[in-house]
Amino acid sequence: MNVATKTGPGKGRWRQFGGVAALAVALAGAWQVSRASETVYNIAPPKVDEQTSGKALEKAVIAGGCFWGVQAVFQHVNGVKNAVSGYAGGDEKTAQYRTISSGQTGHAEAVEISYDPSVVTYGQLLQIFFSVAHDPTQLNRQGPDTGTQYRSTIFPANAEQAKVATAYIEQLNQSGVYPKKIATTTEPLKGFYKAEDYHQDYLVNNPYQPYIVINDKPKVENLAKTFPQAFRKDPVLVAAQGR
């Protein structure tokens, strides 16, 4: 049994472990599980970035596997005012977890980041995204999660974001840092649809769930180590903003 794999149509439904002892065994075996979420790519910042002069709060929508971990990472980034788990890439009528889990809706599990560009730029958010938030070389999967709903995708909100994202992907592919070509795509942002409430602030609310311990906590730890100037200890929470 792969302890890092979610089961059933409702994410977070785990095969039952036999108490604390079994959980300890499961966590001890974490080293044998795919560790894609723990990969750190030390990459240069983008050569092309957004113009921030005079800009108010901006939004960025990205997808990089299970949104629990991606949301958790950006909740710890200075300048981020909110990070909401949701769905992007499909129609509003299919933007429910049980529906998108089929992999047939066109949706990806995504995170909408509201940020202050005078503190953190769009390009800097993408640097974190490509470095510690996920493995951009994996096609239609992240670690134990497979399917197009777990694809690596950037959903630019405007032409400037599209220019930054496209240029950065090209820059990173030419850098030689990654073992394979980047699988990340860019797609037009048709809309962003907030996920069910139980998906919000998931790492904070479920810090000891095995999936979180194995796959997502390492991402936040890597953020703190790799981008110490950008790291904020206390995460900004969706629940605190009444959204």
Side-chain angles (χ1 to χ4, degrees):
M1 179 177 67
N2 185 343
V3 299
T5 302
K6 309 179 202 74
T7 63
K11 182 182 290 183
R13 254 178 46 189
W14 283 73
R15 295 184 178 92
Q16 297 300 311
F17 294 98
V20 176
L23 178 58
V25 171
L27 296 182
W31 295 103
Q32 304 304 318
V33 180
S34 172
R35 301 181 65 218
S37 60
E38 296 184 44
T39 302
V40 176
Y41 293 107
N42 292 307
I43 57 177
K47 297 177 180 178
V48 177
D49 205 344
E50 67 178 337
Q51 299 298 312
T52 61
S53 179
K55 283 191 173 181
L57 208 64
E58 294 278 304
K59 291 187 177 181
V61 177
I62 55 176
C66 175
F67 43 28
W68 296 343
V70 178
Q71 180 193 46
V73 166
F74 287 98
Q75 287 179 318
H76 282 277
V77 174
N78 284 323
V80 170
K81 302 300 182 181
N82 202 5
V84 180
S85 291
Y87 312 110
D91 296 329
E92 183 176 10
K93 63 183 179 182
T94 58
Q96 302 91 29
Y97 179 73
R98 288 183 178 273
T99 307
I100 72 102
S101 292
S102 69
Q104 303 299 313
T105 67
H107 279 294
E109 291 194 11
V111 174
E112 180 189 69
I113 304 164
S114 300
Y115 66 100
D116 182 348
S118 69
V119 179
V120 59
T121 67
Y122 184 68
Q124 289 168 336
L125 292 175
L126 293 186
Q127 185 181 13
I128 292 169
F129 174 66
F130 283 116
S131 178
V132 299
H134 82 311
D135 183 345
T137 69
Q138 295 198 28
L139 179 64
N140 294 333
R141 69 171 299 157
Q142 281 296 306
D145 302 318
T146 61
T148 57
Q149 67 270 34
Y150 298 114
R151 65 188 183 273
S152 174
T153 301
I154 300 169
F155 296 91
N158 51 52
E160 184 179 29
Q161 287 189 357
K163 179 180 178 180
V164 173
T166 301
Y168 200 27
I169 291 173
E170 182 178 358
Q171 174 187 330
L172 294 177
N173 271 327
Q174 293 176 353
S175 70
V177 172
Y178 298 93
K180 297 185 294 184
K181 185 177 180 180
I182 288 176
T184 308
T185 60
T186 60
E187 300 179 22
L189 181 61
K190 302 175 183 178
F192 176 83
Y193 310 101
K194 183 189 173 191
E196 296 81 355
D197 287 345
Y198 68 90
H199 285 305
Q200 307 303 332
D201 306 329
Y202 198 89
L203 184 148
V204 172
N205 294 329
N206 302 273
Y208 303 112
Q209 188 192 84
Y211 181 94
I212 291 295
V213 172
I214 295 168
N215 295 284
D216 294 338
K217 278 192 172 182
K219 297 180 181 182
V220 177
E221 293 167 359
N222 287 334
L223 172 69
K225 295 175 184 177
T226 309
F227 298 96
Q229 300 304 315
F231 182 76
R232 57 184 296 169
K233 181 179 179 181
D234 297 322
V236 56
L237 302 179
V238 177
Q241 303 185 47
R243 179 169 176 175

